[in-house]
């Protein structure tokens, strides 16, 4: 009986637990349905917000395009480098079907950066947006377009032995009478030049020392001479006193009657016949003056001998100090030139920072000489050598010594210019790369190609670009290392293009390109007037508005 009760009790508990589990499962299902319903509602709401935001962006972009025009938005310029319509450009890209991940790849930035730009938190540079803009629109901005072929890059490639060629070529042209010009002889001439420079330096040191030493010696000798003259004058005076005293004694002896006179009367008679000699003060005065000049102070009374010793010793010390200084400087100069002889090397002293097999120069061929000078200064700085050599006149065997300064910057510059000569097959070393440029804008000065004009307006043409910037095209002939602003029929005619923000910069560049002759002045004035007529604030014109 008890066993059955216990079994029934356990079964009851199992039924109760099962019911509870079933109720719990049902509750979970109902809760999950409620959560899913909430999530779906949230997603739907979020979708509506996104769609609304997207529509707002479309409406805002439509208004901006209506106000500015698509070209203005895509191709607007900013002198600071930031594109002022970054957000508008990205919204146009979205409108064309580009996703943010695509934009990030084209702009070479992160996707988060694209989000910041779209949110207006920052702006991109024109360079960052360039690839994206090319994909947004296949058309360049504006209504007028022109094609100009201009120089893009000029590259100089030097041969492996360029330096020895440069030095040899320079010496063959400028070193009169120098024979057997090769690397070893050039080095020997440089050593001879060092010896010549050393002689000049040591001679200069001696020429600086000698006058000062000579002056001190003269002062010392003069002081000694004055001292000797002063002492001789003293001895001479003492001798005169002795003669005077002897003469007075002899007179008294020959006139005994004077003995009866008192001393005063007797003295007057003696002074009348034998006046006392006067001591000369000239020697003493000259000696005192010389001593005071040496010491820079007055000589005290009775202190002449001591003052003389001080002045004499002072000049002697100055002579000794000058001599020691000269010996020290001479030794230092000699040691310096010894180091120069040991380390002097003409070749290979240029800066190794440049790859001389491919040097990118400015695209301005008409100013390439200045480019060479700039490069030479960076390679060599102020490096110079003096070459000393003997010219042998064979008809009379007369050896004549010559010296020539080897300024390595000048040597390099002249060598590079020689490479540009057509006689030297310059295209082996100078590579001129051109590019075709599409100019988006209108011509405001200088006629377009094919239209009748006089002298091509001195080969200056000016464009007003879509961005309102100004493009200046300058044409010139470049042949045999020289440039000219006049067009020719050969292949040596090139053009450069320059872009400026204002008319003043255009005029300054044009003046530098054309020069200062009368025709150029007329051309500049006509260009200035054209800029003013097209609305640009131009120097020389007062704007009224």
């Amino acid at each position: 009986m008890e066993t059955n009760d216990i079994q029934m009790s356990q079964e009851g508990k199992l039924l109760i637990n099962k019911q509870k589990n079933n109720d719990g499962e049902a509750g979970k299902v109902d809760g999950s349905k409620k959560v899913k319903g909430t999530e779906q509602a949230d997603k739907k709401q979020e979708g509506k917000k996104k769609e609304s935001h997207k529509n707002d962006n479309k409406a805002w972009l439509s208004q901006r395009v209506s106000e500015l025009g698509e070209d203005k938005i895509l191709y607007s310029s900013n002198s600071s480098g930031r594109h002022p319509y970054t957000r508008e450009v990205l919204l146009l890209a979205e409108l064309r079907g580009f996703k943010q991940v695509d934009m990030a790849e084209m702009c070479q930035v992160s996707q988060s950066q694209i989000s910041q730009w779209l949110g207006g938190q920052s702006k991109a540079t024109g360079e960052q947006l360039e690839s994206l803009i090319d994909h947004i629109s296949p058309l360049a901005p504006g209504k007028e377009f022109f094609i100009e072929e201009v120089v893009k890059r000029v590259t100089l490639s030097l041969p492996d032995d360029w330096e020895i060629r440069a030095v040899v070529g320079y010496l063959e042209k400028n070193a009169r009478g120098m024979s057997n010009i090769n690397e070893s002889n050039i080095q020997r001439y440089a050593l001879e030049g060092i010896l010549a420079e050393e002689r000049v330096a040591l001679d200069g040191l001696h020429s600086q020392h000698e006058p000062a030493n000579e002056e001190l010696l003269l002062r010392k000798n003069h002081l000694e001479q004055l001292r000797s003259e002063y002492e001789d004058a003293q001895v001479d005076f003492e001798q005169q006193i002795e003669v005077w005293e002897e003469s007075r004694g002899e007179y008294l002896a020959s006139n005994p009657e004077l003995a009866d006179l008192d001393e005063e009367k007797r003295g007057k008679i003696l002074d009348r016949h034998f006046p006392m000699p006067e001591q000369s003060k000239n020697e003493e005065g000259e000696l005192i003056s010389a001593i005071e000049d040496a010491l820079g102070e007055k000589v005290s009374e009775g202190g002449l001998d001591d003052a003389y010793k001080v002045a004499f010793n002072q000049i002697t010390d100055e002579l000794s100090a000058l001599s020691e200084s000269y010996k020290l400087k001479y030794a230092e100069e000699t040691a310096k030139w010894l180091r120069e002889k040991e380390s002097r090397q003409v070749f290979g002293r240029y800066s190794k920072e440049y790859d001389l097999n491919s040097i990118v120069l400015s695209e301005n061929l008409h100013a390439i000489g200045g480019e060479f000078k700039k490069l030479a200064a960076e390679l060599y700085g102020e490096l110079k050598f003096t070459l000393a050599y003997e010219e042998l006149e064979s008809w009379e065997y007369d050896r004549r010594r010559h010296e020539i300064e080897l300024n390595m910057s000048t040597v390099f510059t002249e060598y590079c210019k020689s490479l540009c000569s057509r006689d030297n097959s310059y295209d082996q070393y100078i590579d001129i790369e051109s590019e075709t440029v599409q100019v988006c804008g209108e011509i405001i000065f200088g006629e377009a190609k094919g239209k009748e004009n006089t002298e091509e307006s001195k080969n200056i043409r000016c464009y007003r670009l879509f961005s309102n910037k100004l493009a200046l095209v300058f044409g010139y002939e470049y042949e045999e290392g020289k440039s000219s602003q006049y067009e020719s029929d050969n292949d040596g005619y090139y053009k450069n293009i320059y872009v400026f923000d204002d008319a003043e910069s255009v005029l300054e560049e044009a003046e530098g390109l054309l020069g200062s002759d009368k025709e150029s002045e007329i051309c500049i004035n006509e260009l200035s007037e054209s800029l003013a007529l097209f609305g640009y604030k131009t120097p020389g014109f007062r704007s009224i508005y």
Side-chain angles (χ1 to χ4, degrees):
M1 185 73 179
E2 291 179 358
T3 303
N4 291 334
D5 290 340
I6 292 170
Q7 186 174 359
M8 289 177 65
S9 175
Q10 290 175 343
E11 289 176 353
K13 288 179 179 180
L14 290 171
L15 289 172
I16 292 170
N17 289 335
K18 186 174 180 181
Q19 184 63 39
K20 286 181 178 181
N21 289 336
N22 290 336
D23 293 342
E25 289 295 327
K28 285 181 180 180
V29 170
D30 292 341
S32 176
K33 288 181 179 179
K34 289 180 180 179
V35 169
K36 286 182 178 179
T38 303
E39 289 178 350
Q40 289 175 352
D42 290 343
K43 286 182 179 180
K44 189 174 182 181
Q45 186 66 27
E46 184 68 24
K48 287 181 178 180
K49 286 182 179 180
K50 284 184 177 180
E51 187 65 26
S52 175
H53 181 67
K54 189 174 181 181
N55 290 333
D56 290 343
N57 282 341
K58 284 183 178 180
W60 180 80
L61 177 61
S62 177
Q63 183 180 351
R64 296 294 284 167
V65 171
S66 176
E67 292 171 353
L68 301 170
E70 189 171 305
D71 279 352
K72 184 70 174 178
I73 289 173
L74 291 175
Y75 298 101
S76 183
S77 64
N78 190 312
S79 58
S80 67
R82 296 289 169 180
H83 198 295
Y85 305 121
T86 299
R87 183 167 179 247
E88 289 89 333
V89 171
L90 298 182
L91 289 174
L92 277 172
E94 282 189 340
L95 195 63
R96 300 289 195 276
F98 292 99
K99 297 181 179 179
Q100 288 192 19
V101 64
D102 301 322
M103 298 184 208
E105 183 178 350
M106 292 179 194
C107 298
Q108 296 183 350
V109 296
S110 63
Q111 193 169 338
S112 61
Q113 181 65 69
I114 297 294
S115 297
Q116 288 184 15
W117 290 344
L118 276 168
Q121 298 171 14
S122 60
K123 295 185 184 300
T125 65
E127 186 178 355
Q128 287 172 319
L129 295 179
E130 186 176 356
S131 177
L132 179 60
I133 290 172
D134 288 342
H135 283 81
I136 292 174
S137 174
L139 297 177
K143 297 179 180 179
E144 290 190 68
F145 306 95
F146 299 87
I147 299 298
E148 295 281 3
E149 186 174 350
V150 298
V151 177
K152 178 182 180 181
R153 185 183 294 106
V154 180
T155 306
L156 171 66
S157 301
L158 298 179
D160 294 338
D161 58 346
W162 64 269
E163 193 175 30
I164 182 64
R165 288 192 187 189
V167 175
V168 169
Y170 181 83
L171 293 176
E172 287 177 344
K173 180 180 178 182
N174 297 283
R176 182 170 62 91
M178 182 182 287
S179 58
N180 298 324
I181 304 175
N182 53 49
E183 185 173 355
S184 61
N185 280 339
I186 291 169
Q187 193 62 54
R188 180 168 60 84
Y189 297 149
L191 181 58
E192 290 292 330
I194 293 172
L195 296 175
E197 290 179 28
E198 180 184 17
R199 284 192 295 272
V200 171
L202 294 178
D203 287 346
L205 191 62
H206 179 73
S207 65
Q208 291 177 2
H209 165 76
E210 195 58 29
N213 186 68
E214 186 68 26
E215 182 186 357
L216 286 173
L217 282 174
L218 287 173
R219 288 174 57 196
K220 180 181 178 181
N221 293 337
H222 182 59
L223 194 62
E224 286 180 316
Q225 182 182 351
L226 292 177
R227 174 70 178 186
S228 177
E229 291 175 355
Y230 169 72
E231 290 175 346
D232 290 343
Q234 290 290 99
V235 171
D236 183 60
F237 179 69
E238 290 173 359
Q239 290 175 349
Q240 290 180 27
I241 292 296
E242 289 178 3
V243 171
W244 175 70
E245 288 177 346
E246 289 176 1
S247 299
R248 286 168 69 97
E250 291 175 356
Y251 184 78
L252 286 173
S254 62
N255 295 281
E257 68 276 7
L258 295 178
D260 297 334
L261 297 176
D262 60 40
E263 185 175 351
E264 182 179 354
K265 289 182 179 180
R266 187 170 59 249
K268 287 182 179 180
I269 293 171
L270 289 172
D271 288 343
R272 186 168 61 250
H273 291 283
F274 303 99
M276 184 177 180
E278 292 185 5
Q279 184 177 9
S280 173
K281 296 293 183 181
N282 293 337
E283 293 80 4
E284 182 182 18
E286 290 179 0
L287 179 60
I288 290 173
S289 178
I291 292 172
E292 289 177 347
D293 287 343
L295 298 179
E297 60 184 28
K298 293 288 185 181
V299 176
S300 62
E301 188 175 349
L304 180 59
D305 290 340
D306 291 339
Y308 171 77
K309 290 177 183 178
V310 173
F312 184 81
N313 290 335
Q314 179 174 301
I315 294 175
T316 303
D317 291 343
E318 288 180 19
L319 271 169
S320 299
L322 183 64
S323 178
E324 289 300 318
S325 173
Y326 172 68
K327 289 178 182 178
L328 179 61
K329 289 180 180 179
Y330 193 91
E332 289 176 350
E333 194 71 20
T334 303
K336 168 194 163 185
W337 287 106
L338 179 61
R339 291 192 299 271
E340 284 288 332
K341 293 170 196 171
E342 293 172 349
S343 64
R344 181 64 66 100
Q345 175 63 39
V346 174
F347 300 99
R349 299 283 294 277
Y350 56 87
S351 171
K352 302 302 189 296
E353 295 181 6
Y354 289 88
D355 176 14
L356 297 176
N357 291 321
S358 181
I359 304 170
V360 177
L361 303 172
S362 164
E363 67 275 11
N364 299 324
L365 278 169
H366 56 88
I368 200 167
E371 283 285 304
F372 292 146
K373 285 183 180 179
K374 180 181 176 183
L375 179 58
E378 293 173 356
L379 284 175
Y380 286 107
E382 298 295 326
L383 185 63
K384 299 176 183 177
F385 301 99
T386 298
L387 305 188
Y389 63 97
E390 290 183 343
E391 176 187 3
L392 179 61
E393 295 287 349
S394 58
W395 61 277
E396 60 180 0
Y397 297 98
D398 178 23
R399 290 186 178 274
R400 299 179 184 178
R401 186 174 182 81
H402 297 281
E403 291 182 3
I404 183 172
E405 183 181 78
L406 197 65
N407 184 318
M408 295 304 290
S409 290
T410 302
V411 170
F412 179 82
T413 301
E414 292 196 6
Y415 175 68
C416 290
K417 287 181 178 179
S418 72
L419 296 184
C420 300
S421 170
R422 289 184 181 271
D423 295 336
N424 201 23
S425 301
Y426 76 96
D427 50 356
Q428 294 181 34
Y429 308 107
I430 301 290
D431 178 42
I432 303 173
E433 181 183 350
S434 297
E435 65 174 339
T436 303
V437 176
Q438 179 191 39
V439 182
C440 306
E442 58 183 323
I443 296 175
I444 65 175
F445 182 78
E447 294 292 337
K449 217 175 215 182
K451 292 187 179 181
E452 185 179 350
N453 63 86
T454 58
E455 296 190 68
E456 191 69 16
S457 298
K458 294 279 283 186
N459 292 333
I460 284 281
R461 186 155 50 247
C462 187
Y463 292 93
R464 178 180 187 170
L465 301 179
F466 172 80
S467 61
N468 283 329
K469 290 187 177 185
L470 292 160
L472 188 68
V473 178
F474 176 62
Y476 52 92
E477 179 185 341
Y478 181 73
E479 184 179 2
E480 297 182 2
K482 300 178 181 179
S483 63
S484 167
Q485 62 199 33
Y486 301 104
E487 185 175 3
S488 63
D489 295 328
N490 58 37
D491 295 331
Y493 185 71
Y494 297 94
K495 287 187 287 186
N496 292 118
I497 189 166
Y498 312 89
V499 178
F500 301 98
D501 292 324
D502 54 71
E504 184 175 2
S505 300
V506 170
L507 292 171
E508 286 179 1
E509 184 68 25
E511 287 176 1
L513 293 171
L514 293 177
S516 57
D517 57 58
K518 188 65 177 177
E519 289 184 18
S520 298
E521 185 179 346
I522 293 172
C523 181
I524 294 295
N525 290 336
E526 291 176 353
L527 173 60
S528 178
E529 185 176 341
S530 294
L531 290 167
L533 289 174
F534 275 83
Y536 288 92
K537 294 179 181 179
T538 308
F541 291 86
R542 183 168 65 92
S543 301
I544 301 175
Y545 49 89

